[in-house]
Amino acid sequence: MSRRRRSVMSEQLKYELAKDLGFYDTVQQEGWGSIKAKDAGNMVKRAIQMAEQAAADKTRQ
């Protein structure tokens, strides 16, 4: 029996990150399951960087 996890990132954010990291075409053609583990890790790393930057910007205001 498989369980589906609830996505933490919005679909819009995931597509934006895929475009930035250069594997958007793969996702469009073959789906999220076809991306490399390294690409998925880079996507998470970039999302964390963006969140940290947003938090830092918010504290500066």
Side-chain angles (χ1 to χ4, degrees), residues 18 23-24 26-27 30-41 43:
F23 55 88
Y24 178 76
T26 301
V27 172
E30 302 173 32
W32 288 107
S34 64
I35 66 171
K36 299 175 185 173
K38 182 178 179 180
D39 289 335
M43 190 169 75

Side-chain angles (χ1 to χ4, degrees), residues 9 22-23 53-54 57:
M9 286 190 260
F23 55 88
Q53 183 63 47
D57 290 348

Side-chain angles (χ1 to χ4, degrees), residues 37-55:
K38 182 178 179 180
D39 289 335
N42 287 338
M43 190 169 75
V44 171
K45 186 187 321 183
R46 179 68 182 122
I48 292 169
Q49 289 171 342
M50 291 171 66
E52 288 174 342
Q53 183 63 47

Side-chain angles (χ1 to χ4, degrees), residues 9-22:
M9 286 190 260
S10 70
E11 287 296 311
Q12 181 180 357
L13 177 60
K14 289 193 291 188
Y15 283 114
E16 179 183 328
L17 292 170
K19 287 177 186 176
D20 289 345
L21 297 171

